[in-house]
Amino acid sequence: MAIGLSPSLPLGIDPRNGYSLHQDMVPMVLQNFKMVVLTSPGERAMNPHFGVGLKHYLFEPDTPVTHADIKSIIIAQANEYLPYIKIEKIEFKSQGAGNSQLTPNYTNVKIKFRIVPLQTDEVLDLNL
């Protein structure tokens, strides 16, 4: 019998469970949050509204207005699909966010959040 919380992605082979599984809640929550942020709406079967679709913003202007749009979508999706987390802060690091020393066409999105049932603070850090 498999013992774990959910499959760990990317899938790996585990001699005991068949596939590698998350044994702890924190990595599972981080994986779930990453899936919500990186999945595009319409990409998930039977749930066409799931996902932020961050890749759709790759060719949008690197401005505070675009960053505000992304923030609002991330918050709405987290509220809908991850009700057990509370977003504390979303930061963007890019040339458009006032960091002229960074490489052009590069954005870092750092989402600070709290896993409410566990009372722990975590960070999802994505480089695009």
Side-chain angles (χ1 to χ4, degrees), residues 8-127:
S8 177
L9 298 176
L11 290 176
I13 301 298
D14 180 60
R16 180 175 183 200
N17 297 317
Y19 291 106
S20 56
L21 302 174
H22 288 292
Q23 303 298 321
D24 189 24
M25 292 289 288
V26 173
M28 183 183 73
V29 171
L30 284 166
Q31 177 180 290
N32 289 346
F33 199 7
K34 188 175 180 181
M35 291 301 159
V36 169
V37 172
L38 296 179
T39 300
S40 295
E43 195 172 40
R44 186 164 181 181
M46 304 299 290
N47 196 346
H49 303 291
F50 179 87
V52 172
L54 206 52
K55 70 179 178 183
H56 292 294
Y57 291 94
L58 290 176
F59 297 103
E60 293 295 321
D62 188 16
T63 64
V65 173
T66 304
H67 299 167
D69 290 344
I70 295 169
K71 280 183 187 181
S72 66
I73 294 170
I74 290 172
I75 291 168
Q77 288 287 310
N79 289 340
E80 176 74 22
Y81 296 105
L82 305 168
Y84 47 87
I85 71 167
K86 181 180 183 279
I87 295 177
E88 305 286 338
K89 188 174 188 180
I90 301 174
E91 299 174 331
F92 292 87
K93 290 182 183 174
S94 66
Q95 284 191 342
N99 298 306
S100 58
Q101 72 277 9
L102 292 177
T103 306
N105 305 321
Y106 166 86
T107 299
N108 172 267
V109 181
K110 186 178 284 189
I111 306 169
K112 297 177 182 179
F113 65 97
R114 175 170 278 270
I115 303 172
V116 177
L118 301 177
Q119 292 298 306
T120 61
D121 294 322
E122 294 296 327
V123 175
L124 179 62
D125 199 359
L126 301 169
N127 294 313

